[in-house]
Amino acid sequence: MSQVVAALTVSSALAVQLTTVKLQLALTRRYFRFFGFIDSFQRMSALLGKDGFSSVAGMLELAKCTCFGLYFVLEDLTTLHAMGVYPVPWNGRVMDQANTFWFYALSFSVAGAIWSLLVGPAEQPSNKNGKRKNRKTVSEKDTPVKPTAASARVKQIVVDGCDLLIPLELLGWMPTGDVVVGSTMVLSTLLTAQEIWTRV
């Protein structure tokens, strides 16, 4: 939100203050995801030991987790520079690589969600025992299928699609401006916060 207001404000002093707020908030978010690479690599290890290469969905998930893990590691290497504690000359190059992996991770996430919506259910392995393949309990037959999985996938596509604009802007691959990027960040944050609130 501060990024949008800073871009629209006519006061240079206020714009500087809001830009400082934006940078500090971005740095705070980096603290919270500092150990994010652990979860990513654990997920990657689990996929390698299970079905990471046995399906398109598995390969997309494996690629996503790998790219997210590399993104977190590279970003962590520049944390002290971002804090102003230990400036390094290679910060820009490392962050470019980090944002590149971030872009790939989000792209794989969007592709995986779209795949799950279109052909994911057909990719699930069927029961090898033909006699038990169509056997269902009474509760399974009578209980309607809730569209929560599909709606979650759609929300994931929207959120990741919004977040994709950030690395594209940072890398200079698709400059959209602070207003567009800031607005999509607000939308992404609201959708994510709504999901978290629903879980609570």
Side-chain angles (χ1 to χ4, degrees), residues 27-96:
L27 185 59
T28 301
R29 287 195 295 268
R30 291 181 64 165
Y31 298 149
F32 285 106
R33 61 175 181 256
F34 187 85
F35 296 104
F37 66 92
I38 297 177
D39 290 335
S40 296
F41 288 148
Q42 284 179 342
R43 175 62 176 160
M44 183 184 70
S45 177
L47 288 168
L48 287 173
K50 188 181 178 183
D51 59 352
F53 294 102
S54 64
S55 64
V56 175
M59 288 188 290
L60 289 172
E61 183 70 15
L62 180 61
K64 181 188 78 172
C65 293
T66 303
C67 290
F68 265 127
L70 293 172
Y71 160 65
F72 289 133
V73 168
L74 291 174
E75 186 187 59
D76 289 349
L77 293 176
T78 64
T79 300
L80 292 179
H81 178 96
M83 295 172 61
V85 175
Y86 187 74
V88 290
W90 40 263
N91 175 76
R93 296 193 300 272
V94 172
M95 283 306 302
D96 282 345

Side-chain angles (χ1 to χ4, degrees), residues 85-137:
V85 175
Y86 187 74
V88 290
W90 40 263
N91 175 76
R93 296 193 300 272
V94 172
M95 283 306 302
D96 282 345
Q97 292 301 317
N99 289 321
T100 300
F101 280 118
W102 187 16
F103 169 78
Y104 290 150
L106 292 172
S107 299
F108 285 127
S109 181
V110 171
I114 294 175
W115 180 266
S116 296
L117 282 175
L118 298 180
V119 295
E123 199 176 51
Q124 296 299 322
S126 60
N127 197 317
K128 294 182 180 180
N129 189 338
K131 296 181 181 180
R132 300 180 57 189
K133 182 177 180 179
N134 297 321
R135 183 177 298 175
K136 294 182 179 180
T137 63

Side-chain angles (χ1 to χ4, degrees), residues 132-164:
R132 300 180 57 189
K133 182 177 180 179
N134 297 321
R135 183 177 298 175
K136 294 182 179 180
T137 63
V138 175
S139 60
E140 288 176 330
K141 291 180 180 179
D142 297 338
T143 303
V145 178
K146 297 181 180 180
T148 54
S151 60
R153 292 298 184 188
V154 171
K155 183 179 291 186
Q156 179 184 347
I157 293 172
V158 174
V159 171
D160 290 339
C162 291
D163 290 342
L164 266 173

